[in-house]
Amino acid sequence: SYVLTQPPSVSVAPGQTARVTCGGNNIGNKRVHWYQQRPGQAPVLVVYDDSDRPSGIPERFSGSNSGNTATLTISRVEAGDEADYSCQVWDRSSGHWVFGGGTKLTVL
Amino acid sequence: EVQLVESGGTLVQPGGSLRLSCTASGFTFSSYEMTWVRQAPGKGLEWISFISMNSITIYYADSVKGRFTISRDNAKNSLYLEMNSLRAEDTAIYYCATLSCTNGVCYDSFDSWGQGTLVTVSS
């Protein structure tokens, strides 16, 4: 089955740029989606189809995907961005959706 | 406003059964594909099942295939998850979610989520 690999944690100072990576075999050939999950809350879609943002998501959130790595970039990080971020793809070969293990973003 | 409300989670013994429900409002439920995702305590998200608008296409994760059954009743705006032969490792918060659709174009991301219902499998 398809596997997505994320770093367990990323730390960044307020106002700086955070980058959360998601690795997978030829993930550049898949459409990657990103979710933000604050403690005790349901996930929220922040980026879909590699780089599109749902309505209401700030432009500070962006995504890219190429080769074996997809990246969620959060610019001008704020304290409220502290959360777990998970990547997701649909694996056409199995008809299954796959999540990465999640990355905890800490704002220093 | 899109709203999804899960219910049915409780403490159940290993080997037991449970039926979760997800009641939808604020959108045309019958026009959306639906999914269940779970999250074990302190762990990441795990997709477990998908159902198409007309219930013709259904998928399960290997971890639940043969034990869980997804279904929906479009007349009642409801999604269900029948869970049998429950194991300790099924302990998790169970979320229902909609597949994303915007301006008639649908994607394989999940854009509306309920708040989840907790299932605890323990003796």
Side-chain angles (χ1 to χ4, degrees):
Chain A
S1 59
Y2 195 75
V3 176
L4 295 174
T5 301
Q6 296 184 238
S9 62
V10 168
S11 298
V12 63
Q16 298 304 302
T17 297
R19 293 179 178 84
V20 180
T21 59
C22 176
N25 186 36
N26 290 321
I27 195 173
N29 293 332
K30 300 183 181 298
R31 292 173 295 192
V32 180
H33 319 296
W34 291 91
Y35 300 86
Q36 175 194 67
Q37 187 178 23
R38 296 188 173 100
Q41 296 189 19
V44 173
L45 179 67
V46 293
V47 168
Y48 67 98
D49 273 17
D50 297 338
S51 59
D52 290 332
R53 280 185 312 277
S55 173
I57 301 302
E59 292 183 5
R60 300 185 298 106
F61 289 82
S62 62
S64 62
N65 183 21
S66 180
N68 292 317
T69 305
T71 303
L72 172 70
T73 301
I74 309 172
S75 304
R76 302 180 299 283
V77 167
E78 303 172 356
D81 297 331
E82 189 162 281
D84 291 329
Y85 291 87
S86 298
C87 57
Q88 177 209 37
V89 300
W90 180 59
D91 180 29
R92 183 180 298 274
S93 65
S94 63
H96 292 181
W97 281 260
V98 180
F99 285 97
T103 297
K104 180 176 178 56
L105 176 66
T106 299
V107 181
L108 301 170
Chain B
E1 179 194 1
V2 173
Q3 192 169 14
L4 297 169
V5 179
E6 301 93 338
S7 61
T10 189
L11 172 64
V12 61
Q13 291 190 337
S17 299
L18 204 57
R19 189 197 201 201
L20 304 183
S21 299
C22 169
T23 302
S25 60
F27 66 104
T28 305
F29 178 73
S30 59
S31 297
Y32 282 78
E33 299 171 326
M34 299 293 297
T35 192
W36 286 98
V37 175
R38 69 183 180 184
Q39 187 170 35
K43 301 297 184 181
L45 300 169
E46 179 188 13
W47 169 79
I48 57 173
S49 190
F50 161 91
I51 187 167
S52 62
M53 290 179 277
N54 53 16
S55 303
I56 289 178
T57 302
I58 287 175
Y59 298 122
Y60 297 101
D62 293 344
S63 58
V64 305
K65 193 170 185 178
R67 299 188 300 124
F68 290 11
T69 301
I70 191 172
S71 63
R72 65 190 296 165
D73 185 335
N74 288 338
K76 294 183 178 180
N77 291 336
S78 293
L79 175 73
Y80 306 103
L81 187 68
E82 190 78 36
M83 310 162 68
N84 297 316
S85 304
L86 283 162
R87 308 165 179 167
E89 54 265 37
D90 295 319
T91 294
I93 296 173
Y94 285 73
Y95 297 99
C96 63
T98 63
L99 276 284
S100 308
C101 287
T102 303
N103 297 325
V105 179
C106 295
Y107 307 87
D108 47 42
S109 52
F110 307 155
D111 68 352
S112 294
W113 297 65
Q115 283 304 304
T117 187
L118 177 62
V119 173
T120 303
V121 183
S122 176
S123 55

